[in-house]
Amino acid sequence: MSTSKELISSVTHLHSSSIGEALTKGDLKYLMENIWVVRFLLILLGYSTVILPCVILVRFIRKKFLPRPDYRGDNLFWKTLRFFAIGQPEYSLSVVNEANKKNEFKEEKEIKNKRRKFIDDCLILLFYSLGIQSNFVIMGFIQEKIMTQGYSVIGKEGIVEKFGDAQFLVLCNRIVALFFCCTILLSTRKRQPPHVPPFYYHSYISLSNTLSSWCQYEALKFVSFPTQTVCKASKVIPTMIMGRLLRKEKYSKEDYAMAFCLAFGAAIFFLSQNKTTATTSLTEHTTTISGIILMAGYLGFDAYTLNKQKQLFDTRPKLSKYQMMLGVNLFSAILCTVSLLEQSTLFSSIEFMLSHHTFARDTFLLSLSGSIGQIFIYMTIERFGPIVFAVIMTIRQIISIVLSSLYFNHGLSIIGLVGLAIAFGSILLSTYRRYFADEKKKKQIEK
């Protein structure tokens, strides 16, 4: 026992001394490879080169325009700056009175058409879910092909090289999505609602989405398989908590209970179907404090992203999904470009694209699939909210495991079936409460 303690203390001493030497020598590369906090701070430092100028610009514009509400700019330049920092609040006033008049008739109409609404919502949600699922499958296939298989060099037969910069693929995805939504916005500009909130609000979604993805991938180095599983299964709960904090959305105790049952059932199912993987992962990774912090960051940033999108969709007049796509992808493209420039990998990635067969085609197909997937995601959040989307993502993981088990003849364990029953039972009960419980209560009151 004493020898093991001495061994642990000696290893800890060596590790701390190596970090101390790295700090003394200023070895930034060592710190980036071994300390995630340093990597995170450097990422924030890089993004701050974009964020800080935007903050200064927004404050300057608001000081110029807010004291004069009627002043909307003398030329296109100032009108654009006003749109960026203040938005178009004058359009929100015109819809308030109309909304108040319609609210009186809305409740009666919803109660009468409850059953019809249930059928319509089921069909629409099924369509959205299939769209999200199919695009994730296509994206996963193409991305794995790009990152694992080599591409032959143009003009040099027999030379095959691999591409390894995933962030450049994200940038291409954003650029194609920008072109996609700009084309739609231009062709339907007369039918698009005015963009009431400040345009820079989309930067919040872009930044939180980027940090969420980073925390997710970084956390895999520091957490065990059970921790990953529980976190993936319980995305609904932090989404509800963030909805309460950010959008002041009220959830009943029954809603929280059903969310917990969904997370509990899904976690049981995932763990039961991956016992071998779990054992292997536990030998390689144990959950550390760093892992818990990173997973909390992943869940928190992801929940913020979904609820912030819903908050913007709830503005009046309502934002369209293509306006949302434009704002989020524009800021994401800027952040990715700045990051690639700071890492000196942007031009080398472009050179790789131009000098290798079929790489540009695969990148375009990946980006196009991602753009279509974004539309399905925004439509889901716009119509059904972030909670339903989080549930869809949990169901997506369950279905993929079930299909894999059926295809490879891996039987579903009894514990897994119990978890499956708990998860889907909570979803069905929640659906019943949403569409039919209120109608049943009303009939009882009328009797």
Side-chain angles (χ1 to χ4, degrees):
M1 186 70 179
S2 59
T3 56
S4 62
K5 286 184 177 179
E6 291 174 0
L7 180 62
I8 293 171
S9 62
S10 62
V11 171
T12 306
H13 176 71
L14 287 172
H15 184 65
S16 60
S17 62
S18 60
I19 293 176
E21 291 176 4
L23 288 171
T24 305
K25 296 178 181 179
D27 192 351
L28 185 61
K29 184 178 179 181
Y30 176 86
L31 294 175
M32 287 186 65
E33 291 177 353
N34 292 274
I35 305 176
W36 69 268
V37 177
V38 175
R39 292 194 294 273
F40 184 72
L41 291 176
L42 287 174
I43 288 173
L44 292 181
L45 183 63
Y47 289 160
S48 66
T49 58
V50 177
I51 296 171
L52 290 179
C54 287
V55 171
I56 295 171
L57 180 63
V58 168
R59 288 190 174 184
F60 169 75
I61 297 170
R62 293 177 77 86
K63 284 182 180 180
K64 180 179 178 63
F65 281 93
L66 288 181
R68 297 184 291 171
D70 297 332
Y71 177 64
R72 300 180 185 179
D74 299 325
N75 50 47
L76 181 62
F77 175 74
W78 286 108
K79 288 179 180 178
T80 303
L81 291 180
R82 181 180 184 271
F83 176 76
F84 175 79
I86 299 176
Q88 302 178 91
E90 61 273 8
Y91 286 101
S92 63
L93 300 175
S94 61
V95 297
V96 172
N97 295 329
E98 294 181 10
N100 291 333
K101 291 178 182 178
K102 291 180 180 179
N103 281 339
E104 298 177 2
F105 304 98
K106 191 176 180 181
E107 293 182 3
E108 296 181 6
K109 191 175 180 181
E110 283 185 354
I111 293 172
K112 291 179 181 179
N113 298 330
K114 209 78 172 181
R115 292 185 182 275
R116 177 64 182 273
K117 186 175 184 294
F118 171 71
I119 297 173
D120 292 344
D121 283 355
C122 285
L123 294 175
I124 293 171
L125 189 59
L126 178 62
F127 175 66
Y128 290 172
S129 301
L130 290 174
I132 293 171
Q133 175 76 4
S134 59
N135 275 279
F136 268 109
V137 171
I138 294 170
M139 285 183 66
F141 172 76
I142 300 175
Q143 187 171 356
E144 184 175 359
K145 178 186 176 184
I146 292 174
M147 300 301 291
T148 58
Q149 297 184 8
Y151 290 88
S152 59
V153 181
I154 297 175
K156 297 180 180 179
E157 295 183 3
I159 299 178
V160 177
E161 296 177 344
K162 288 185 178 181
F163 183 78
D165 194 345
Q167 194 170 25
F168 179 75
L169 299 179
V170 176
L171 175 61
C172 294
N173 190 331
R174 303 309 184 196
I175 293 173
V176 172
L178 276 174
F179 178 80
F180 191 75
C181 64
C182 283
T183 303
I184 296 175
L185 285 172
L186 288 173
S187 61
T188 61
R189 59 185 179 276
K190 293 182 179 179
R191 299 196 301 269
Q192 292 295 322
H195 193 289
V196 174
F199 191 75
Y200 77 89
Y201 277 9
H202 297 290
S203 64
Y204 299 153
I205 300 172
S206 175
L207 183 61
S208 63
N209 187 31
T210 303
L211 294 178
S212 171
S213 300
W214 186 87
C215 288
Q216 179 186 11
Y217 293 123
E218 193 70 20
L220 299 179
K221 305 173 185 177
F222 301 98
V223 296
S224 62
F225 179 81
T227 306
Q228 297 175 35
T229 302
V230 172
C231 288
K232 287 180 181 179
S234 60
K235 285 181 66 174
V236 179
I237 297 174
T239 303
M240 293 177 70
I241 295 173
M242 187 62 70
R244 179 68 179 135
L245 296 174
L246 185 64
R247 299 188 294 116
K248 309 302 180 185
E249 185 77 17
K250 294 182 180 180
Y251 300 102
S252 64
K253 294 179 181 178
E254 291 81 2
D255 292 330
Y256 285 109
M258 289 177 189
F260 176 79
C261 289
L262 172 61
F264 180 70
I268 291 176
F269 175 76
F270 292 150
L271 290 171
S272 67
Q273 297 306 123
N274 293 274
K275 288 182 179 179
T276 306
T277 309
T279 306
T280 306
S281 298
L282 282 169
T283 58
E284 294 177 354
H285 297 293
T286 56
T287 301
T288 62
I289 295 176
S290 294
I292 294 173
I293 294 172
L294 287 167
M295 288 305 295
Y298 157 62
L299 293 173
F301 285 125
D302 185 71
Y304 177 86
T305 300
L306 296 176
N307 281 283
K308 191 64 179 178
Q309 288 173 336
K310 180 60 177 174
Q311 188 182 51
L312 287 181
F313 276 133
D314 288 342
T315 57
R316 294 292 180 269
K318 198 171 188 178
L319 285 181
S320 72
K321 50 187 168 292
Y322 303 111
Q323 290 173 332
M324 180 80 74
M325 275 186 71
L326 174 65
V328 174
N329 284 287
L330 178 61
F331 283 105
S332 296
I334 293 172
L335 291 176
C336 285
T337 302
V338 170
S339 180
L340 288 169
L341 286 172
E342 290 174 347
Q343 296 173 19
S344 302
T345 55
L346 176 61
F347 297 107
S348 60
S349 298
I350 295 174
E351 184 181 356
F352 187 95
M353 175 180 285
L354 298 175
S355 60
H356 290 76
H357 288 288
T358 69
F359 177 75
R361 182 200 64 188
D362 290 345
T363 304
F364 174 74
L365 292 176
L366 175 67
S367 302
L368 182 62
S369 177
S371 302
I372 297 172
Q374 281 188 46
I375 294 176
F376 280 108
I377 291 172
Y378 287 138
M379 287 193 297
T380 304
I381 296 173
E382 180 184 18
R383 184 179 179 92
F384 298 101
I387 304 299
V388 174
F389 177 73
V391 172
I392 288 175
M393 299 307 291
T394 304
I395 294 175
R396 184 183 73 86
Q397 294 175 356
I398 293 174
I399 291 175
S400 63
I401 293 176
V402 171
L403 292 177
S404 176
S405 300
L406 294 175
Y407 182 80
F408 293 105
N409 294 322
H410 297 159
L412 297 175
S413 64
I414 297 176
I415 298 176
L417 291 174
V418 171
L420 206 61
I422 294 173
F424 280 98
S426 64
I427 294 172
L428 292 174
L429 186 58
S430 177
T431 304
Y432 172 79
R433 288 184 67 253
R434 179 177 179 180
Y435 288 95
F436 301 112
D438 293 338
E439 184 179 352
K440 191 174 181 180
K441 286 180 181 178
K442 188 186 175 188
K443 288 181 179 179
Q444 290 176 352
I445 292 171
E446 289 177 352
K447 290 180 180 180

